[in-house]
Amino acid sequence: MAAGLPPDVTVPAVFVFGDSIVDPGNNNQLKTISKCNFPPYGRDFAGGKATGRFSNGKVPSDMLAEIFGVKELLPAYLDPNLQIQDLLTGVSFASGAAGYDPKTSKITRVLSLSDQLDLYNQSIARIKAEVGDEKAASILSQSIYIVCLGSNDITKTFFGPFSRHDNISSYTDLMVNWSSSFIQELYGFGARRIGVISIPPLGCVPALRTLRGGFKRNCFDDANNAAILFNSKLSSLANSLKSQLSGSKIVYLDVYNTFLPLIQNSSQYGFEVSTQGCCGTGNLEVSFLCNSFSVFMTCKDDEKYVFWDSFHPTEKAYKIIMDQIFKDKMNNFF
């Protein structure tokens, strides 16, 4: 990864909260349909193994651990093989299909944000038992915390078929309030270096092009505008909390404007296809719809594709996005 830590800085651990973008396999342990621990997922991962990561290979939680010089892969907290040494250098609590809105997670029976915080609290107790209170406090205050949520709130809860919301302005206010509460709770548990990831250009993911983009499968502008609105509020929140919470570094990470050029000018980044995913037809397949039956129609060379399935980017696209974001933002954490 391109980004480097400032001199004389070490990061003991990375802890991640969020949805499928940063879930390395927590959902494998849940009774939910939001899973991907089967082929063709993970075909470019070490050993060609489907680990529960929603991509063909590594996902951003892994890349974050690498960017901050901690380790190559960030494990799922619920992984039954997790060792205490893994926990001391960080894990992901993220759960595919989760959102800031508790209803978003409830619909698909995945870990809500409060569930993820409970697991983090549990992990603090395990870390303290292993290294003592003083060392634990030092690890927690110097670690990096990343929060990556919001896409499912917009696509499923607000624009979904059973939505009870009709005002995107008030709904994004609610989302920001949930985000604010969560960041302050994390701070209360000792977190100081916190990154909040924006929502991507959702209206341009293949599934929304198919479902809401008309005959020509254009980007669904309403979803993009909702993302822009939420992101502006999230950015303001990050600045406001940074000044309120003493000693904190709260960093807004703009995925929207980093990702959009890959979709609009894909050939400049070495891609050939940006309107369809690699898996199956590339129009709707995601999670349980992208499965072993899709293998025969799945693209041969996913390096040419921005999207792996109809919602999630390929490892190559993720790497480009993460590199660009942290080239500019790395020093803001220290």
Side-chain angles (χ1 to χ4, degrees):
M1 306 299 288
L5 289 173
D8 305 323
V9 168
T10 55
V11 171
V14 172
F15 296 100
V16 178
F17 304 85
D19 55 25
S20 57
I21 303 295
V22 286
D23 178 1
N26 284 309
N27 279 15
N28 296 355
Q29 311 305 322
L30 306 178
K31 289 179 176 169
T32 174
I33 57 168
S34 298
K35 292 188 186 188
C36 59
N37 53 341
F38 39 77
Y41 283 99
R43 75 176 191 186
D44 300 308
F45 195 78
K49 194 173 174 214
T51 57
R53 289 169 169 82
F54 287 77
S55 191
N56 58 304
K58 290 182 182 179
V59 290
S61 40
D62 301 312
M63 295 166 193
L64 285 160
E66 209 170 334
I67 284 167
F68 286 103
V70 177
K71 52 190 173 185
E72 196 181 331
L73 296 171
L74 198 70
Y77 180 69
L78 295 182
D79 183 340
N81 299 315
L82 189 81
Q83 304 296 312
I84 187 66
Q85 292 309 317
D86 300 322
L87 186 55
L88 292 174
T89 50
V91 291
S92 172
F93 302 96
S95 184
Y100 284 115
D101 185 340
K103 287 196 194 86
T104 303
S105 306
K106 197 174 179 182
I107 294 164
T108 42
R109 297 181 174 181
V110 298
L111 300 173
S112 67
L113 208 40
S114 63
D115 293 333
Q116 294 181 35
L117 198 64
D118 288 345
L119 293 176
Y120 173 63
N121 211 357
Q122 193 184 96
S123 76
I124 294 175
R126 290 175 67 184
I127 291 169
K128 284 180 176 175
E130 181 67 18
V131 300
D133 287 8
E134 196 178 324
K135 181 80 193 301
S138 167
I139 290 171
L140 299 178
S141 65
Q142 293 175 46
S143 293
I144 297 290
Y145 298 80
I146 300 289
V147 184
C148 174
L149 286 154
S151 296
N152 296 305
D153 298 316
I154 300 289
T155 57
K156 294 174 184 166
T157 309
F158 187 82
F159 286 113
F162 307 111
S163 176
R164 293 182 181 172
H165 302 276
D166 56 7
N167 185 322
I168 191 59
S169 181
S170 59
Y171 187 64
T172 47
D173 283 344
L174 279 174
M175 288 170 65
V176 169
N177 288 343
W178 283 311
S179 178
S180 176
S181 300
F182 181 71
I183 292 167
Q184 290 180 70
E185 285 186 89
L186 265 187
Y187 178 86
F189 284 131
R192 293 296 178 267
R193 300 166 170 174
I194 304 169
V196 285
I197 295 182
S198 81
I199 296 180
L202 293 172
C204 297
V205 304
L208 262 74
R209 285 179 183 270
T210 303
L211 295 170
R212 307 295 286 263
F215 180 69
K216 292 186 175 176
R217 294 185 71 253
N218 295 319
C219 292
F220 176 43
D221 289 340
D222 287 359
N224 280 352
N225 292 336
I228 291 166
L229 179 62
F230 172 74
N231 291 342
S232 68
K233 294 175 181 181
L234 188 67
S235 174
S236 300
L237 173 71
N239 289 329
S240 149
L241 288 178
K242 187 166 55 181
S243 56
Q244 281 175 44
L245 303 175
S246 171
S248 70
K249 300 283 187 182
I250 297 172
V251 186
Y252 172 74
L253 302 167
D254 182 2
V255 163
Y256 189 102
N257 292 300
T258 314
F259 191 4
L260 196 58
L262 269 72
I263 297 167
Q264 292 176 333
N265 309 305
S266 51
S267 59
Q268 289 182 20
Y269 297 88
F271 297 105
E272 292 178 14
V273 185
S274 65
T275 60
Q276 291 172 301
C278 165
C279 183
T281 64
N283 293 334
L284 274 177
E285 289 88 343
V286 62
S287 186
F288 63 96
L289 295 176
C290 171
N291 54 43
S292 51
F293 296 106
S294 318
V295 171
F296 306 107
M297 295 174 72
T298 295
C299 76
K300 297 284 180 281
D301 184 3
D302 48 49
E303 295 269 307
K304 295 175 180 171
Y305 283 70
V306 173
F307 289 95
W308 163 248
D309 60 21
S310 72
F311 209 88
H312 304 96
T314 54
E315 179 181 339
K316 178 183 171 182
Y318 275 140
K319 272 187 176 160
I320 293 169
I321 295 163
M322 298 296 282
D323 270 355
Q324 290 195 3
I325 289 173
F326 282 92
K327 203 164 53 185
D328 299 331
K329 294 288 187 175
M330 176 62 91
N331 288 336
N332 295 24
F333 283 92
F334 306 103

